[in-house]
């Protein structure tokens, strides 16, 4: 492992399923002077994930998995994480649930970003549900992954107001920008406080 100012520089793998704006912001963060992360591997379950373009542009190795057989897919994940000496995994819009096999192996070393103010609104369709419930606020959370869905210790959260004129789409769009800022900040906090 490389060292930066006496501290370990971590090899990071980012797992995505789609557009990859959070991957992009983590890549930008990794390129900053004094950054303690090296993104060495992008993994996806979706061969058409737009986010793969960010890996390609930045010369980051990527792996496309066929998730029809989850067990095989996860074996490939584990094999490649080991091969690339990955120390930290960031889930960034990865829409598959990791099994205990991976979570236990990388205990406390898997982060996730979720588009709600956890513990509220775990799971899918968060924007639809917050609007339906006439919430005044929503937000996003970066947390450590444990074996329960969208659970685990919170690292950072950002909150935004929901306006009367908001719909699912406008809310998702506004929140995404906030997510893109939050994820690198949370990774930095995690590294500074936990590793
Ligand atoms: C983000 O809104 C992220 O919070 C969400 O998927 C989107 C990915 O966007 N994640 C989940 O819903 C996980 N349960 P991106 O591909 O542009 O980063």
């Amino acid at each position: 492992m490389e060292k930066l100012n006496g501290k370990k520089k971590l090899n990071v793998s980012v797992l995505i399923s789609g557009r990859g704006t959070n991957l992009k912001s983590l890549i930008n963060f990794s390129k900053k002077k004094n950054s303690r992360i090296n993104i060495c591997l992008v993994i996806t379950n979706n061969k058409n994930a737009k986010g793969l373009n960010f890996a390609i542009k930045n010369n980051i190795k990527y792996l496309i998995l066929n998730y029809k057989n989850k067990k095989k897919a996860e074996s490939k994940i584990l094999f490649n994480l080991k091969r690339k000496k990955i120390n930290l995994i960031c889930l960034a819009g990865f829409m598959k649930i990791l099994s205990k096999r991976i979570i236990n192996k990388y205990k406390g070393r898997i982060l996730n970003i979720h588009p709600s103010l956890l513990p509220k609104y775990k799971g899918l369709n968060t924007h639809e549900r917050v609007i339906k419930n006439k919430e005044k606020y929503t937000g996003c959370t970066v947390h450590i992954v444990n074996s329960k869905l969208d659970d685990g210790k919170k690292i950072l959260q950002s909150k935004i107001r929901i306006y009367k004129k908001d719909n699912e789409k406008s809310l998702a769009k506004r929140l995404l920008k906030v997510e893109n800022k939050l994820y690198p900040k949370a990774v930095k906090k995690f590294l500074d406080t936990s590793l």
Side-chain angles (χ1 to χ4, degrees):
M1 220 180 304
E2 261 182 78
K3 284 204 166 183
L4 182 85
N5 304 332
K7 286 208 172 185
K8 285 171 191 159
K9 200 159 176 178
L10 302 187
N11 291 338
V12 176
S13 177
V14 183
L15 274 60
I16 64 167
S17 294
R19 172 181 58 184
T21 63
N22 283 297
L23 165 65
K24 184 182 174 199
S25 85
L26 289 174
I27 293 174
N28 289 341
F29 170 67
S30 74
K31 287 184 185 166
K32 287 204 167 145
K33 207 176 149 209
N34 293 342
S35 154
R36 283 185 60 209
I37 63 166
N38 258 332
I39 300 179
C40 339
L41 180 64
V42 171
I43 298 178
T44 185
N45 62 304
N46 173 13
K47 66 177 185 331
N48 298 316
K50 283 215 175 96
L52 285 176
N53 290 319
F54 298 120
I56 294 165
K57 256 194 210 155
N58 289 281
N59 274 322
I60 299 170
K61 290 256 156 42
Y62 61 90
L63 174 69
I64 300 172
L65 296 169
N66 179 348
Y67 239 82
K68 269 187 192 147
N69 184 331
K70 180 168 172 169
K71 209 170 168 199
K72 268 195 188 164
E74 288 201 334
S75 296
K76 280 194 184 161
I77 294 181
L78 282 169
F79 176 80
N80 283 281
L81 293 177
K82 194 172 172 192
R83 197 162 68 112
K84 290 266 173 204
K85 300 190 170 60
I86 299 297
N87 317 108
L88 179 70
I89 300 167
C90 291
L91 307 182
F94 186 61
M95 304 314 265
K96 295 284 177 190
I97 294 173
L98 293 175
S99 71
K100 281 192 183 153
R101 194 173 151 215
I102 296 188
I103 293 171
N104 290 339
K105 188 124 198 164
Y106 287 84
K107 211 172 183 173
R109 299 267 181 148
I110 309 176
L111 309 184
N112 179 42
I113 186 154
H114 183 76
S116 81
L117 292 171
L118 291 175
K120 287 174 111 183
Y121 300 100
K122 297 177 177 183
L124 298 174
N125 308 319
T126 52
H127 307 310
E128 187 187 320
R129 288 185 285 141
V130 293
I131 287 178
K132 216 177 193 174
N133 288 345
K134 300 196 170 19
E135 296 280 2
K136 285 204 166 107
Y137 294 93
T138 186
C140 47
T141 308
V142 176
H143 66 98
I144 298 175
V145 172
N146 66 14
S147 57
K148 292 188 209 138
L149 181 72
D150 300 326
D151 201 74
K153 193 178 166 212
K154 277 182 262 171
I155 301 170
L156 277 181
Q157 245 173 6
S158 285
K159 195 172 166 181
I160 63 167
R161 184 86 169 88
I162 303 173
Y163 302 113
K164 283 219 172 79
K165 59 173 192 220
D166 266 323
N167 55 35
E168 236 179 273
K169 216 174 148 188
S170 66
L171 199 55
K173 193 173 166 194
R174 214 164 67 245
L175 187 64
L176 190 65
K177 291 202 177 112
V178 178
E179 288 188 40
N180 295 162
K181 286 198 183 123
L182 185 73
Y183 213 164
K185 267 193 205 159
V187 169
K188 186 170 183 325
K189 182 177 174 195
F190 175 75
L191 296 182
D192 290 346
T193 54
S194 317
L195 297 174

